[in-house]
Amino acid sequence: MSRRTRKNVGVIGLGIIGSRVREVLRDRGFHVFVWNRTPKPVPNFVGAPAELAEMCDYIEIFVSDDDALLDVVKQLSPGLGAHHIVIAHSTVTPHSMIAASEIVQRRGARFIEAPFTGSKEAAASGQLVYYLGGDEAALREAAPILEASSKETMVIGEIGQATVVKITTNMVTAATVQAAAEALAVMQTAGLPLQKFVDAMKGNASNSKTLDLKLSKMVEGNFEPHFSVKHMLKDMQIASRMGLSHHLELGIASAARDRLLEQMQRGHGDEDYSAVARKYFSGTSSAAKPESGLDLFEPRKEPEPEVWIHTQPPEVAPQTAEVTEQKEDVDLAPAALESAPAEETPVVPVAEEAPVAAADEPHEEEPVVAAEPIADLVEEEPEERRGFLGRLLRRESNS
């Protein structure tokens, strides 16, 4: 087993960035020991994170997500002591970063939060940018190791705050590439060479290093991974959750997340996140169908305004039959009930129905028809029942 020295550095996670940082550190005189969840045939590969802690005072972690970070620090924990500094480079939620720091600090060790920005080329040439959070003394002690693989280190503040900076910068990066993919789609639909857009952006105020790296490769359909779809998707999901927790509507981040999720679901999770351009080009099943009849250059013709003609509903036709006037006194004498002929119920013709008013026309109140006399509305008893009732009433009056 190798003797511990101040030059021993442990690296956990040999992905696109971790594997290149390992080489840079070796080139700059550090003794590097490594561990990866999937064993790799590389020099100084040890059996477990706790074994790495026995050999190295400084341990850098380059795992991809929250669960992996928390799992690694738990495995490291038994071997940690006051002489250790654990440097976490993962992009995770601020909550998970704080939880990882607490696991480390309970063992008396120190913890530095150090998410980064930079492509695999930047990692290979030692040109990453680290956003740092942690104790000032620990940051000073770990500075030579961090500076070996970076062109700049930026101290942000407490544990968890550097992660917020990393997530917010990635929001802009993801949105930039998504906007570029949509712009290329419009160019293609308009029948213009895509290279014209690439050339136009070089002199445009909105150009960026991200577009310099991505645009030409998007035009070529080259999605070799520098920062994968699955990792950018994870970062945009974190951004969306952070927005929800603070009641913020993050429309652009949500749109970028959804497009990344589409590519993940189509099996492109290991490609570069610029693969969101696949959605908009021919030959992809997710390409949206163009709207029929929509010209990209001529202004859309506004429909002619509809003219509403306001008409009054026709007056209710006058009644053609007179309603029998109600008598002032209704003779309910038994003789009248028995012998009076049944009166026919007058017929009241129904007025023509007025047309229904249009939705934006003022409503006309319907004309009120006078109530018919009560006596005329009462249905008279059949004649045979009147005879029986009359006889009954006469019998009662005679008794």
Side-chain angles (χ1 to χ4, degrees):
M1 184 176 291
S2 178
R3 183 174 59 88
R4 173 189 279 123
T5 73
R6 302 293 286 178
K7 285 281 192 177
N8 286 5
V9 178
V11 172
I12 294 178
L14 299 177
I16 291 176
I17 303 299
S19 60
R20 287 164 174 78
V21 169
R22 175 199 63 185
E23 294 303 318
V24 168
L25 290 173
R26 282 180 174 160
D27 291 344
R28 298 188 181 178
F30 292 92
H31 306 301
V32 182
F33 299 85
V34 299
W35 183 82
N36 194 67
R37 286 180 293 173
T38 303
K40 293 186 180 254
V42 296
N44 295 346
F45 193 98
V46 302
E51 185 179 339
L52 204 66
E54 292 177 8
M55 304 166 64
C56 308
D57 286 346
Y58 308 99
I59 301 168
E60 296 189 81
I61 302 175
F62 289 93
V63 295
S64 60
D65 57 37
D66 299 58
D67 291 341
L69 175 62
L70 294 172
D71 180 59
V72 163
V73 295
K74 287 174 184 175
Q75 292 188 61
L76 272 174
S77 179
L80 295 177
H83 54 277
H84 285 103
I85 295 179
V86 176
I87 306 169
H89 298 289
S90 307
T91 302
V92 295
T93 64
H95 174 78
S96 293
M97 189 64 76
I98 293 169
S101 73
E102 290 172 348
I103 293 170
V104 170
Q105 290 166 358
R106 281 199 293 268
R107 300 293 299 177
R110 290 165 291 173
F111 186 91
I112 293 174
E113 169 191 30
F116 60 88
T117 184
S119 65
K120 67 181 182 182
E121 283 84 2
S125 58
Q127 296 294 298
L128 296 173
V129 175
Y130 291 121
Y131 307 121
L132 305 177
D135 176 73
E136 289 184 10
L139 289 171
R140 282 195 302 270
E141 187 175 334
I145 296 168
L146 293 167
E147 290 170 357
S149 58
S150 68
K151 65 178 180 180
E152 182 182 355
T153 59
M154 183 183 301
V155 178
I156 304 299
E158 299 175 359
I159 302 294
Q161 293 179 343
T163 290
V164 175
V165 171
K166 169 61 177 174
I167 292 294
T168 53
T169 58
N170 272 12
M171 289 168 64
V172 176
T173 303
T176 298
V177 169
Q178 176 62 32
E182 294 180 16
L184 289 171
V186 172
M187 287 285 291
Q188 178 170 268
T189 305
L192 294 171
L194 300 184
Q195 187 59 41
K196 294 291 186 183
F197 178 74
V198 177
D199 296 339
M201 286 304 301
K202 290 177 180 177
N204 192 284
S206 298
N207 197 34
S208 64
K209 291 181 179 179
T210 296
L211 293 179
D212 283 341
L213 286 170
K214 301 297 181 186
L215 265 182
S216 293
K217 292 182 178 180
M218 290 165 73
V219 170
E220 297 166 4
N222 177 0
F223 304 121
E224 178 190 355
H226 293 255
F227 188 62
S228 67
V229 165
K230 64 185 178 184
H231 290 157
M232 186 61 88
L233 171 60
K234 178 256 301 177
D235 292 356
M236 292 305 98
Q237 289 171 329
I238 293 172
S240 295
R241 292 200 299 270
M242 289 173 65
L244 286 173
S245 68
H246 295 285
H247 307 289
L248 298 174
E249 182 180 348
L250 305 180
I252 294 174
S254 297
R257 175 203 62 202
D258 292 347
R259 300 292 77 75
L260 289 160
L261 181 59
E262 286 178 1
Q263 295 308 309
M264 185 75 177
Q265 292 171 336
R266 285 167 172 75
H268 304 303
D270 291 324
E271 294 185 340
D272 191 81
Y273 71 98
S274 58
V276 292
R278 285 181 179 278
K279 176 181 177 68
Y280 302 102
F281 296 100
S282 58
T284 60
S285 59
S286 59
K289 295 181 180 179
E291 293 185 48
S292 58
L294 179 61
D295 196 312
L296 291 174
F297 298 103
E298 293 182 9
R300 190 170 183 173
K301 208 169 187 179
E302 294 296 328
E304 294 291 334
E306 295 184 24
V307 179
W308 294 89
I309 301 176
H310 297 269
T311 59
Q312 298 292 335
E315 295 182 0
V316 177
Q319 296 180 0
T320 57
E322 293 183 359
V323 179
T324 306
E325 295 181 0
Q326 182 180 1
K327 296 181 180 179
E328 292 184 4
D329 298 317
V330 178
D331 188 1
L332 294 179
L337 286 173
E338 186 177 24
S339 59
E343 293 182 334
E344 294 183 0
T345 303
V347 178
V348 182
V350 180
E352 291 185 13
E353 188 175 354
V356 179
D360 59 347
E361 290 181 13
H363 244 349
E364 295 280 350
E365 292 188 2
E366 295 184 3
V368 179
V369 180
E372 298 180 16
I374 294 175
D376 293 328
L377 295 176
V378 177
E379 184 179 353
E380 295 191 8
E381 294 288 335
E383 187 172 350
E384 63 273 12
R385 293 189 64 184
R386 288 204 309 271
F388 171 78
L389 183 59
R391 287 192 297 273
L392 181 62
L393 289 173
R394 283 196 297 274
R395 194 176 300 124
E396 286 180 358
S397 66
N398 291 334
S399 62

mmCIF file of all heavy atoms in Angstrom, residues 4-42:
data_model
loop_
_atom_site.group_PDB
_atom_site.id
_atom_site.type_symbol
_atom_site.label_atom_id
_atom_site.label_comp_id
_atom_site.label_asym_id
_atom_site.label_seq_id
_atom_site.Cartn_x
_atom_site.Cartn_y
_atom_site.Cartn_z
ATOM 1 N N ARG A 4 0.954 7.529 2.552
ATOM 2 C CA ARG A 4 0.200 8.778 2.395
ATOM 3 C C ARG A 4 1.178 9.950 2.382
ATOM 4 O O ARG A 4 2.069 10.051 3.219
ATOM 5 C CB ARG A 4 -0.790 8.954 3.550
ATOM 6 C CG ARG A 4 -1.472 10.314 3.510
ATOM 7 C CD ARG A 4 -2.281 10.606 4.748
ATOM 8 N NE ARG A 4 -3.568 9.968 4.694
ATOM 9 C CZ ARG A 4 -4.014 9.112 5.606
ATOM 10 N NH1 ARG A 4 -3.273 8.791 6.637
ATOM 11 N NH2 ARG A 4 -5.213 8.572 5.490
ATOM 12 N N THR A 5 0.960 10.851 1.406
ATOM 13 C CA THR A 5 1.729 12.106 1.347
ATOM 14 C C THR A 5 0.750 13.234 1.063
ATOM 15 O O THR A 5 -0.406 13.011 0.721
ATOM 16 C CB THR A 5 2.792 12.076 0.229
ATOM 17 O OG1 THR A 5 2.135 12.182 -1.036
ATOM 18 C CG2 THR A 5 3.625 10.801 0.277
ATOM 19 N N ARG A 6 1.250 14.464 1.194
ATOM 20 C CA ARG A 6 0.407 15.631 0.906
ATOM 21 C C ARG A 6 0.088 15.723 -0.582
ATOM 22 O O ARG A 6 -0.770 16.496 -0.986
ATOM 23 C CB ARG A 6 1.119 16.918 1.346
ATOM 24 C CG ARG A 6 1.500 16.946 2.807
ATOM 25 C CD ARG A 6 0.292 16.992 3.722
ATOM 26 N NE ARG A 6 -0.346 18.284 3.718
ATOM 27 C CZ ARG A 6 -1.446 18.588 4.398
ATOM 28 N NH1 ARG A 6 -2.044 17.643 5.122
ATOM 29 N NH2 ARG A 6 -1.958 19.791 4.350
ATOM 30 N N LYS A 7 0.761 14.893 -1.388
ATOM 31 C CA LYS A 7 0.527 14.905 -2.837
ATOM 32 C C LYS A 7 -0.482 13.847 -3.275
ATOM 33 O O LYS A 7 -0.800 13.764 -4.453
ATOM 34 C CB LYS A 7 1.851 14.669 -3.584
ATOM 35 C CG LYS A 7 2.784 15.867 -3.584
ATOM 36 C CD LYS A 7 2.346 16.868 -4.627
ATOM 37 C CE LYS A 7 3.406 17.936 -4.854
ATOM 38 N NZ LYS A 7 3.016 18.874 -5.919
ATOM 39 N N ASN A 8 -0.952 13.056 -2.341
ATOM 40 C CA ASN A 8 -1.915 12.014 -2.707
ATOM 41 C C ASN A 8 -3.317 12.617 -2.858
ATOM 42 O O ASN A 8 -3.813 13.272 -1.943
ATOM 43 C CB ASN A 8 -1.963 10.927 -1.639
ATOM 44 C CG ASN A 8 -0.735 10.032 -1.671
ATOM 45 O OD1 ASN A 8 0.195 10.276 -2.441
ATOM 46 N ND2 ASN A 8 -0.728 9.007 -0.847
ATOM 47 N N VAL A 9 -3.931 12.354 -3.989
ATOM 48 C CA VAL A 9 -5.292 12.824 -4.259
ATOM 49 C C VAL A 9 -6.120 11.641 -4.718
ATOM 50 O O VAL A 9 -5.711 10.887 -5.611
ATOM 51 C CB VAL A 9 -5.305 13.930 -5.334
ATOM 52 C CG1 VAL A 9 -6.743 14.358 -5.624
ATOM 53 C CG2 VAL A 9 -4.464 15.118 -4.903
ATOM 54 N N GLY A 10 -7.282 11.481 -4.122
ATOM 55 C CA GLY A 10 -8.215 10.447 -4.566
ATOM 56 C C GLY A 10 -9.268 11.038 -5.492
ATOM 57 O O GLY A 10 -9.771 12.139 -5.249
ATOM 58 N N VAL A 11 -9.587 10.321 -6.555
ATOM 59 C CA VAL A 11 -10.629 10.748 -7.499
ATOM 60 C C VAL A 11 -11.669 9.638 -7.566
ATOM 61 O O VAL A 11 -11.343 8.486 -7.889
ATOM 62 C CB VAL A 11 -10.055 11.043 -8.900
ATOM 63 C CG1 VAL A 11 -11.190 11.296 -9.891
ATOM 64 C CG2 VAL A 11 -9.117 12.244 -8.854
ATOM 65 N N ILE A 12 -12.906 9.992 -7.265
ATOM 66 C CA ILE A 12 -14.021 9.044 -7.350
ATOM 67 C C ILE A 12 -14.921 9.473 -8.508
ATOM 68 O O ILE A 12 -15.403 10.599 -8.542
ATOM 69 C CB ILE A 12 -14.822 9.030 -6.043
ATOM 70 C CG1 ILE A 12 -13.954 8.481 -4.902
ATOM 71 C CG2 ILE A 12 -16.084 8.197 -6.190
ATOM 72 C CD1 ILE A 12 -14.654 8.471 -3.559
ATOM 73 N N GLY A 13 -15.124 8.565 -9.462
ATOM 74 C CA GLY A 13 -15.959 8.853 -10.634
ATOM 75 C C GLY A 13 -15.102 9.124 -11.848
ATOM 76 O O GLY A 13 -14.486 10.189 -11.953
ATOM 77 N N LEU A 14 -15.060 8.159 -12.767
ATOM 78 C CA LEU A 14 -14.200 8.266 -13.949
ATOM 79 C C LEU A 14 -15.035 8.415 -15.218
ATOM 80 O O LEU A 14 -14.834 7.717 -16.212
ATOM 81 C CB LEU A 14 -13.282 7.039 -14.052
ATOM 82 C CG LEU A 14 -12.326 6.840 -12.862
ATOM 83 C CD1 LEU A 14 -11.511 5.569 -13.032
ATOM 84 C CD2 LEU A 14 -11.412 8.045 -12.704
ATOM 85 N N GLY A 15 -15.932 9.371 -15.186
ATOM 86 C CA GLY A 15 -16.709 9.683 -16.374
ATOM 87 C C GLY A 15 -15.956 10.643 -17.283
ATOM 88 O O GLY A 15 -14.726 10.726 -17.263
ATOM 89 N N ILE A 16 -16.711 11.394 -18.089
ATOM 90 C CA ILE A 16 -16.101 12.298 -19.071
ATOM 91 C C ILE A 16 -15.163 13.304 -18.403
ATOM 92 O O ILE A 16 -14.061 13.553 -18.901
ATOM 93 C CB ILE A 16 -17.201 13.036 -19.861
ATOM 94 C CG1 ILE A 16 -17.938 12.064 -20.773
ATOM 95 C CG2 ILE A 16 -16.610 14.182 -20.686
ATOM 96 C CD1 ILE A 16 -19.110 12.677 -21.518
ATOM 97 N N ILE A 17 -15.562 13.864 -17.270
ATOM 98 C CA ILE A 17 -14.752 14.889 -16.605
ATOM 99 C C ILE A 17 -13.754 14.268 -15.631
ATOM 100 O O ILE A 17 -12.560 14.588 -15.659
ATOM 101 C CB ILE A 17 -15.652 15.900 -15.872
ATOM 102 C CG1 ILE A 17 -16.645 16.533 -16.847
ATOM 103 C CG2 ILE A 17 -14.805 16.976 -15.195
ATOM 104 C CD1 ILE A 17 -16.025 17.299 -17.988
ATOM 105 N N GLY A 18 -14.215 13.363 -14.783
ATOM 106 C CA GLY A 18 -13.337 12.791 -13.771
ATOM 107 C C GLY A 18 -12.122 12.104 -14.348
ATOM 108 O O GLY A 18 -11.001 12.221 -13.806
ATOM 109 N N SER A 19 -12.300 11.379 -15.451
ATOM 110 C CA SER A 19 -11.166 10.673 -16.055
ATOM 111 C C SER A 19 -10.121 11.652 -16.586
ATOM 112 O O SER A 19 -8.906 11.387 -16.519
ATOM 113 C CB SER A 19 -11.648 9.765 -17.183
ATOM 114 O OG SER A 19 -12.308 10.521 -18.195
ATOM 115 N N ARG A 20 -10.567 12.808 -17.077
ATOM 116 C CA ARG A 20 -9.625 13.800 -17.611
ATOM 117 C C ARG A 20 -8.943 14.592 -16.490
ATOM 118 O O ARG A 20 -7.762 14.940 -16.591
ATOM 119 C CB ARG A 20 -10.354 14.716 -18.596
ATOM 120 C CG ARG A 20 -10.668 14.003 -19.902
ATOM 121 C CD ARG A 20 -11.709 14.698 -20.756
ATOM 122 N NE ARG A 20 -11.855 14.029 -22.046
ATOM 123 C CZ ARG A 20 -12.539 12.892 -22.240
ATOM 124 N NH1 ARG A 20 -13.141 12.298 -21.216
ATOM 125 N NH2 ARG A 20 -12.598 12.345 -23.440
ATOM 126 N N VAL A 21 -9.677 14.893 -15.437
ATOM 127 C CA VAL A 21 -9.058 15.562 -14.287
ATOM 128 C C VAL A 21 -7.980 14.669 -13.677
ATOM 129 O O VAL A 21 -6.911 15.155 -13.263
ATOM 130 C CB VAL A 21 -10.128 15.932 -13.243
ATOM 131 C CG1 VAL A 21 -9.487 16.380 -11.933
ATOM 132 C CG2 VAL A 21 -11.047 17.028 -13.776
ATOM 133 N N ARG A 22 -8.232 13.357 -13.620
ATOM 134 C CA ARG A 22 -7.218 12.419 -13.121
ATOM 135 C C ARG A 22 -5.912 12.569 -13.891
ATOM 136 O O ARG A 22 -4.824 12.660 -13.290
ATOM 137 C CB ARG A 22 -7.750 10.986 -13.266
ATOM 138 C CG ARG A 22 -6.759 9.904 -12.900
ATOM 139 C CD ARG A 22 -7.178 8.578 -13.502
ATOM 140 N NE ARG A 22 -7.181 8.653 -14.971
ATOM 141 C CZ ARG A 22 -7.593 7.668 -15.762
ATOM 142 N NH1 ARG A 22 -8.059 6.538 -15.239
ATOM 143 N NH2 ARG A 22 -7.552 7.795 -17.074
ATOM 144 N N GLU A 23 -5.988 12.635 -15.233
ATOM 145 C CA GLU A 23 -4.776 12.749 -16.046
ATOM 146 C C GLU A 23 -4.089 14.097 -15.831
ATOM 147 O O GLU A 23 -2.858 14.172 -15.780
ATOM 148 C CB GLU A 23 -5.135 12.558 -17.523
ATOM 149 C CG GLU A 23 -5.620 11.160 -17.859
ATOM 150 C CD GLU A 23 -4.603 10.092 -17.471
ATOM 151 O OE1 GLU A 23 -3.374 10.299 -17.697
ATOM 152 O OE2 GLU A 23 -5.019 9.074 -16.900
ATOM 153 N N VAL A 24 -4.849 15.156 -15.726
ATOM 154 C CA VAL A 24 -4.266 16.487 -15.507
ATOM 155 C C VAL A 24 -3.515 16.525 -14.181
ATOM 156 O O VAL A 24 -2.386 17.045 -14.093
ATOM 157 C CB VAL A 24 -5.375 17.573 -15.539
ATOM 158 C CG1 VAL A 24 -4.839 18.904 -15.032
ATOM 159 C CG2 VAL A 24 -5.916 17.733 -16.953
ATOM 160 N N LEU A 25 -4.119 15.970 -13.129
ATOM 161 C CA LEU A 25 -3.467 15.964 -11.822
ATOM 162 C C LEU A 25 -2.166 15.160 -11.867
ATOM 163 O O LEU A 25 -1.142 15.567 -11.276
ATOM 164 C CB LEU A 25 -4.412 15.387 -10.768
ATOM 165 C CG LEU A 25 -5.623 16.242 -10.399
ATOM 166 C CD1 LEU A 25 -6.563 15.475 -9.475
ATOM 167 C CD2 LEU A 25 -5.193 17.551 -9.747
ATOM 168 N N ARG A 26 -2.169 14.051 -12.534
ATOM 169 C CA ARG A 26 -0.951 13.237 -12.660
ATOM 170 C C ARG A 26 0.129 13.999 -13.420
ATOM 171 O O ARG A 26 1.301 13.976 -13.038
ATOM 172 C CB ARG A 26 -1.270 11.917 -13.364
ATOM 173 C CG ARG A 26 -1.943 10.913 -12.451
ATOM 174 C CD ARG A 26 -2.251 9.621 -13.160
ATOM 175 N NE ARG A 26 -2.774 8.641 -12.210
ATOM 176 C CZ ARG A 26 -3.469 7.580 -12.539
ATOM 177 N NH1 ARG A 26 -3.749 7.345 -13.814
ATOM 178 N NH2 ARG A 26 -3.886 6.734 -11.623
ATOM 179 N N ASP A 27 -0.304 14.655 -14.503
ATOM 180 C CA ASP A 27 0.660 15.425 -15.295
ATOM 181 C C ASP A 27 1.298 16.535 -14.465
ATOM 182 O O ASP A 27 2.418 16.974 -14.767
ATOM 183 C CB ASP A 27 -0.003 16.021 -16.534
ATOM 184 C CG ASP A 27 -0.385 14.957 -17.548
ATOM 185 O OD1 ASP A 27 0.123 13.815 -17.445
ATOM 186 O OD2 ASP A 27 -1.221 15.258 -18.435
ATOM 187 N N ARG A 28 0.594 17.007 -13.447
ATOM 188 C CA ARG A 28 1.086 18.133 -12.648
ATOM 189 C C ARG A 28 1.682 17.696 -11.312
ATOM 190 O O ARG A 28 1.842 18.500 -10.401
ATOM 191 C CB ARG A 28 -0.040 19.142 -12.462
ATOM 192 C CG ARG A 28 -0.460 19.671 -13.848
ATOM 193 C CD ARG A 28 -1.421 20.807 -13.866
ATOM 194 N NE ARG A 28 -1.714 21.158 -15.251
ATOM 195 C CZ ARG A 28 -2.548 22.097 -15.637
ATOM 196 N NH1 ARG A 28 -3.203 22.807 -14.728
ATOM 197 N NH2 ARG A 28 -2.742 22.342 -16.921
ATOM 198 N N GLY A 29 2.042 16.423 -11.257
ATOM 199 C CA GLY A 29 2.857 15.961 -10.138
ATOM 200 C C GLY A 29 2.126 15.360 -8.965
ATOM 201 O O GLY A 29 2.755 15.014 -7.960
ATOM 202 N N PHE A 30 0.827 15.175 -9.029
ATOM 203 C CA PHE A 30 0.093 14.574 -7.915
ATOM 204 C C PHE A 30 0.059 13.050 -8.070
ATOM 205 O O PHE A 30 0.037 12.522 -9.185
ATOM 206 C CB PHE A 30 -1.330 15.123 -7.849
ATOM 207 C CG PHE A 30 -1.415 16.571 -7.465
ATOM 208 C CD1 PHE A 30 -1.422 17.559 -8.436
ATOM 209 C CD2 PHE A 30 -1.472 16.956 -6.131
ATOM 210 C CE1 PHE A 30 -1.490 18.907 -8.097
ATOM 211 C CE2 PHE A 30 -1.536 18.302 -5.773
ATOM 212 C CZ PHE A 30 -1.549 19.276 -6.756
ATOM 213 N N HIS A 31 0.006 12.360 -6.928
ATOM 214 C CA HIS A 31 -0.178 10.917 -6.926
ATOM 215 C C HIS A 31 -1.686 10.662 -6.841
ATOM 216 O O HIS A 31 -2.320 10.972 -5.823
ATOM 217 C CB HIS A 31 0.542 10.276 -5.738
ATOM 218 C CG HIS A 31 1.980 10.636 -5.646
ATOM 219 N ND1 HIS A 31 2.877 10.371 -6.668
ATOM 220 C CD2 HIS A 31 2.697 11.253 -4.659
ATOM 221 C CE1 HIS A 31 4.076 10.791 -6.321
ATOM 222 N NE2 HIS A 31 3.985 11.342 -5.107
ATOM 223 N N VAL A 32 -2.240 10.099 -7.891
ATOM 224 C CA VAL A 32 -3.698 9.990 -7.972
ATOM 225 C C VAL A 32 -4.114 8.525 -7.843
ATOM 226 O O VAL A 32 -3.616 7.646 -8.551
ATOM 227 C CB VAL A 32 -4.217 10.562 -9.308
ATOM 228 C CG1 VAL A 32 -5.750 10.495 -9.347
ATOM 229 C CG2 VAL A 32 -3.754 12.000 -9.481
ATOM 230 N N PHE A 33 -5.060 8.299 -6.920
ATOM 231 C CA PHE A 33 -5.679 6.981 -6.726
ATOM 232 C C PHE A 33 -7.163 7.126 -7.042
ATOM 233 O O PHE A 33 -7.778 8.160 -6.738
ATOM 234 C CB PHE A 33 -5.455 6.498 -5.296
ATOM 235 C CG PHE A 33 -4.002 6.337 -4.966
ATOM 236 C CD1 PHE A 33 -3.241 7.425 -4.529
ATOM 237 C CD2 PHE A 33 -3.361 5.112 -5.114
ATOM 238 C CE1 PHE A 33 -1.899 7.290 -4.242
ATOM 239 C CE2 PHE A 33 -2.003 4.969 -4.827
ATOM 240 C CZ PHE A 33 -1.266 6.062 -4.396
ATOM 241 N N VAL A 34 -7.731 6.085 -7.635
ATOM 242 C CA VAL A 34 -9.085 6.255 -8.174
ATOM 243 C C VAL A 34 -10.006 5.120 -7.744
ATOM 244 O O VAL A 34 -9.561 4.013 -7.397
ATOM 245 C CB VAL A 34 -9.054 6.330 -9.717
ATOM 246 C CG1 VAL A 34 -8.238 7.527 -10.188
ATOM 247 C CG2 VAL A 34 -8.506 5.045 -10.330
ATOM 248 N N TRP A 35 -11.300 5.441 -7.756
ATOM 249 C CA TRP A 35 -12.356 4.431 -7.574
ATOM 250 C C TRP A 35 -13.545 4.844 -8.414
ATOM 251 O O TRP A 35 -13.862 6.029 -8.551
ATOM 252 C CB TRP A 35 -12.767 4.314 -6.104
ATOM 253 C CG TRP A 35 -13.799 3.240 -5.875
ATOM 254 C CD1 TRP A 35 -13.568 1.906 -5.734
ATOM 255 C CD2 TRP A 35 -15.215 3.410 -5.774
ATOM 256 N NE1 TRP A 35 -14.749 1.220 -5.556
ATOM 257 C CE2 TRP A 35 -15.779 2.131 -5.568
ATOM 258 C CE3 TRP A 35 -16.058 4.513 -5.844
ATOM 259 C CZ2 TRP A 35 -17.160 1.928 -5.441
ATOM 260 C CZ3 TRP A 35 -17.429 4.308 -5.705
ATOM 261 C CH2 TRP A 35 -17.975 3.028 -5.500
ATOM 262 N N ASN A 36 -14.204 3.844 -8.980
ATOM 263 C CA ASN A 36 -15.379 4.069 -9.805
ATOM 264 C C ASN A 36 -16.395 2.989 -9.459
ATOM 265 O O ASN A 36 -16.025 1.855 -9.129
ATOM 266 C CB ASN A 36 -15.004 3.993 -11.298
ATOM 267 C CG ASN A 36 -16.085 4.543 -12.202
ATOM 268 O OD1 ASN A 36 -16.362 5.735 -12.183
ATOM 269 N ND2 ASN A 36 -16.696 3.677 -13.004
ATOM 270 N N ARG A 37 -17.665 3.331 -9.503
ATOM 271 C CA ARG A 37 -18.679 2.333 -9.166
ATOM 272 C C ARG A 37 -18.613 1.138 -10.101
ATOM 273 O O ARG A 37 -18.879 0.009 -9.696
ATOM 274 C CB ARG A 37 -20.070 2.975 -9.180
ATOM 275 C CG ARG A 37 -20.317 3.877 -7.981
ATOM 276 C CD ARG A 37 -21.706 4.490 -8.013
ATOM 277 N NE ARG A 37 -21.851 5.430 -9.111
ATOM 278 C CZ ARG A 37 -23.007 6.007 -9.442
ATOM 279 N NH1 ARG A 37 -24.116 5.698 -8.788
ATOM 280 N NH2 ARG A 37 -23.066 6.865 -10.435
ATOM 281 N N THR A 38 -18.277 1.393 -11.385
ATOM 282 C CA THR A 38 -18.012 0.296 -12.323
ATOM 283 C C THR A 38 -16.500 0.159 -12.436
ATOM 284 O O THR A 38 -15.821 1.103 -12.854
ATOM 285 C CB THR A 38 -18.607 0.609 -13.712
ATOM 286 O OG1 THR A 38 -20.003 0.846 -13.580
ATOM 287 C CG2 THR A 38 -18.366 -0.539 -14.672
ATOM 288 N N PRO A 39 -15.919 -0.974 -12.034
ATOM 289 C CA PRO A 39 -14.452 -1.119 -12.070
ATOM 290 C C PRO A 39 -13.876 -0.858 -13.455
ATOM 291 O O PRO A 39 -14.465 -1.226 -14.474
ATOM 292 C CB PRO A 39 -14.241 -2.580 -11.651
ATOM 293 C CG PRO A 39 -15.454 -2.917 -10.848
ATOM 294 C CD PRO A 39 -16.588 -2.165 -11.499
ATOM 295 N N LYS A 40 -12.724 -0.185 -13.490
ATOM 296 C CA LYS A 40 -12.055 0.125 -14.764
ATOM 297 C C LYS A 40 -10.585 -0.296 -14.675
ATOM 298 O O LYS A 40 -9.961 -0.160 -13.625
ATOM 299 C CB LYS A 40 -12.142 1.622 -15.072
ATOM 300 C CG LYS A 40 -13.560 2.096 -15.369
ATOM 301 C CD LYS A 40 -13.592 3.553 -15.810
ATOM 302 C CE LYS A 40 -15.028 3.975 -16.096
ATOM 303 N NZ LYS A 40 -15.318 4.101 -17.499
ATOM 304 N N PRO A 41 -10.026 -0.788 -15.782
ATOM 305 C CA PRO A 41 -8.619 -1.235 -15.782
ATOM 306 C C PRO A 41 -7.652 -0.057 -15.920
ATOM 307 O O PRO A 41 -7.019 0.144 -16.966
ATOM 308 C CB PRO A 41 -8.563 -2.163 -16.993
ATOM 309 C CG PRO A 41 -9.590 -1.617 -17.931
ATOM 310 C CD PRO A 41 -10.687 -1.051 -17.076
ATOM 311 N N VAL A 42 -7.560 0.755 -14.875
ATOM 312 C CA VAL A 42 -6.683 1.917 -14.892
ATOM 313 C C VAL A 42 -5.716 1.830 -13.714
ATOM 314 O O VAL A 42 -6.003 1.140 -12.719
ATOM 315 C CB VAL A 42 -7.498 3.235 -14.809
ATOM 316 C CG1 VAL A 42 -8.374 3.408 -16.033
ATOM 317 C CG2 VAL A 42 -8.350 3.266 -13.547
#
